[in-house]
Amino acid sequence: MTSPIDNTDTPRDPCNLVVLDMAGTTVADGGLVEQAFSAAAQHLGVRPGSDEHARQLAYVRATMGESKISVFRHLFGDEERAQYANTAFEEAYGELVDGGRVAPLPGAREAVERLAAEGRTVVLTTGFARTTQDAILAALGWQDLVPLTLCPADAGGRGRPYPDMVLAAFLRTGAVDDVRRIAVAGDTSYDMLSGVRSGAGIVAGVLTGAHDKEQLARHGATHVLGSVAELPDLIARAEA
């Protein structure tokens, strides 16, 4: 189901650093972000089913992949309310994760293991806080799957659509000497923007999460894949 999009040339040098998003890309969470957001919004008096709730939920959907505290700053204005909403969100999401509501997307673990076996360094990134990221990794038994995991706080706090987490992976791993030898994959427009702004040679959108092919392509995807399971073959073709 690979659909090449000629937004940029893909590299022929080895892509030995692969930066992958989690929820929607390697991890299926069944819409837990929206459920946790609704719980957080209720703490701030936003009633489910209200026009305000619908407006805010539309913004959450449009900004999937962005640092969650940034989303709450936009929605609730002042820092105190944003921090309160973010804490409520993380608690609600964590409870859902603890309840067994996350699972690996089909072929995701196998793709990561194949990439590692080929000598590539794989890094997992998220827009969630570290506590939530760690809870997801623990629920999946992925604590030792990759050598590095990053959340926005690990890369200066801005998160996506900024390129900071991709560039932090580049700097911390030392896996490649050129950003064009990075492959980025994610399911949201913000993942694509982050990859493009980092200078990554491959910016692959996947259709297992929040955004569709048109949205991913419009925000810079060099390729759109059915799932992350197709990524190892894409990288191999790009190097041939």
Side-chain angles (χ1 to χ4, degrees), residues 108-178:
R109 182 177 186 123
E110 293 81 1
V112 171
E113 290 175 339
R114 176 181 161 187
L115 292 165
E118 292 171 349
R120 310 183 201 280
T121 298
V122 182
V123 177
L124 293 175
T125 64
T126 185
F128 296 133
R130 167 56 61 184
T131 54
T132 303
Q133 185 178 37
D134 285 346
I136 295 170
L137 293 169
L140 300 177
W142 281 12
Q143 299 96 321
D144 300 317
L145 183 61
V146 299
L148 180 64
T149 62
L150 295 170
C151 67
D154 298 323
R158 295 194 301 181
R160 308 181 192 109
Y162 297 98
D164 302 10
M165 285 192 289
V166 179
L167 295 176
F170 173 73
L171 292 170
R172 293 195 190 189
T173 65
V176 294
D177 56 9
D178 187 329

Side-chain angles (χ1 to χ4, degrees), residues 92-119:
Y93 195 96
E95 289 174 3
L96 293 166
V97 168
D98 291 342
R101 300 284 299 279
V102 296
L105 278 161
R109 182 177 186 123
E110 293 81 1
V112 171
E113 290 175 339
R114 176 181 161 187
L115 292 165
E118 292 171 349

Side-chain angles (χ1 to χ4, degrees), residues 34-150:
E34 293 186 15
Q35 293 179 47
F37 164 74
S38 293
Q42 278 190 275
H43 281 283
L44 286 163
V46 180
R47 181 173 51 82
S50 66
D51 289 344
E52 179 65 5
H53 180 268
R55 181 190 69 79
Q56 292 187 353
L57 187 57
Y59 183 81
V60 169
R61 289 170 176 157
T63 57
M64 285 289 189
E66 184 177 1
S67 168
K68 293 300 175 285
I69 184 60
S70 297
V71 172
F72 288 122
R73 284 176 180 139
H74 175 89
L75 291 176
F76 295 111
D78 68 86
E79 186 67 15
E80 183 177 356
R81 282 167 57 82
Q83 290 290 347
Y84 182 76
N86 189 63
T87 297
F89 172 88
E90 298 289 349
E91 289 175 352
Y93 195 96
E95 289 174 3
L96 293 166
V97 168
D98 291 342
R101 300 284 299 279
V102 296
L105 278 161
R109 182 177 186 123
E110 293 81 1
V112 171
E113 290 175 339
R114 176 181 161 187
L115 292 165
E118 292 171 349
R120 310 183 201 280
T121 298
V122 182
V123 177
L124 293 175
T125 64
T126 185
F128 296 133
R130 167 56 61 184
T131 54
T132 303
Q133 185 178 37
D134 285 346
I136 295 170
L137 293 169
L140 300 177
W142 281 12
Q143 299 96 321
D144 300 317
L145 183 61
V146 299
L148 180 64
T149 62
L150 295 170

